[in-house]
Amino acid sequence: MAIIVLKEWGFTVKGFMKLVVLLCGLVVLLAACGGKTETPLSVSDKVSTTDLSAEKGGAAELGMTEKELVDKLGKPERALNEGRTFLLMYESYQYTTLDSKVLGYSIGPEAATARGVKLGDSKEQVLKQYGDAYYTLGESIGYIDKTKQLSLDFKLKDDKVVAINLASLELYE
């Protein structure tokens, strides 16, 4: 049924997955803009640390400048701006910058985490790879690396991963 609706609206499954990733990136972007909602930073003291040092955002690195990102990957397919925050969208990753510094990324349908979790995987697969030391925020579960000051967030729908975001906790300050 969902595929029929997608086709009637002119979406391919891959196009729909890109839209989901885009919308999740916008959620990260808006979360960085303020408000008093709970964030990975606000719940970081409630969970044990998880080593996320192997997580990499494709060819980009957290902390690099927006200019370094564009120099390395080329012009993004799309860019969105919300004040001091930008979302730069590429094929496999969407990068979030704050004050021209890359502080987070979302994983697209063609990529996976360092431990092999990808969009469409089950919550059970996430737990198998990352363990039980997770926080819950809304429909997401996530992990905090207190040493590296990182959060890895898995948005779930019907116990399936629909978005994966890694961010520096600095993004939530």
Side-chain angles (χ1 to χ4, degrees):
M1 174 72 174
I3 292 177
I4 293 170
V5 171
L6 290 175
K7 288 182 179 179
E8 285 178 7
W9 288 351
F11 281 100
T12 62
V13 173
K14 185 176 179 180
F16 179 72
M17 290 305 291
K18 281 186 176 185
L19 179 64
V20 168
V21 169
L22 169 67
L23 292 175
C24 291
L26 285 173
V27 168
V28 170
L29 183 71
L30 293 173
C33 295
K36 297 203 177 204
T37 60
E38 282 192 312
T39 67
L41 179 61
S42 69
V43 298
S44 64
D45 61 337
K46 298 175 184 172
V47 295
S48 300
T49 193
T50 300
D51 181 9
L52 301 175
S53 60
E55 301 299 332
K56 305 291 181 217
E61 298 173 23
L62 296 184
M64 70 189 325
T65 67
E66 194 173 292
K67 181 182 180 335
E68 291 170 330
L69 176 71
V70 172
D71 287 348
K72 194 168 194 173
L73 299 179
K75 183 179 175 185
E77 294 175 12
R78 197 166 193 195
L80 299 173
N81 172 248
E82 178 65 40
R84 299 172 22 217
T85 309
F86 278 86
L87 183 64
L88 304 172
M89 292 169 268
Y90 292 89
E91 180 73 25
S92 296
Y93 294 90
Q94 293 73 44
Y95 299 94
T96 303
T97 67
L98 177 64
D99 295 332
S100 298
K101 183 178 173 184
V102 177
L103 293 181
Y105 64 83
S106 299
I107 295 176
E110 306 295 321
T113 68
R115 298 184 191 182
V117 177
K118 58 190 178 313
L119 298 178
D121 284 351
S122 67
K123 178 180 179 182
E124 182 180 314
Q125 288 167 300
V126 173
L127 297 177
K128 183 178 178 183
Q129 293 302 316
Y130 288 92
D132 293 324
Y134 63 88
Y135 61 81
T136 303
L137 291 176
E139 296 177 355
S140 297
I141 63 170
Y143 298 87
I144 301 286
D145 184 324
K146 295 179 182 184
T147 303
K148 297 283 186 185
Q149 293 292 291
L150 299 173
S151 69
L152 179 60
D153 186 76
F154 297 91
K155 182 165 177 57
L156 303 171
K157 183 170 173 84
D158 300 324
D159 280 342
K160 296 286 184 189
V161 176
V162 295
I164 304 170
N165 301 296
L166 182 108
S168 167
L169 293 179
E170 183 181 342
L171 187 63
Y172 303 103
E173 293 177 346

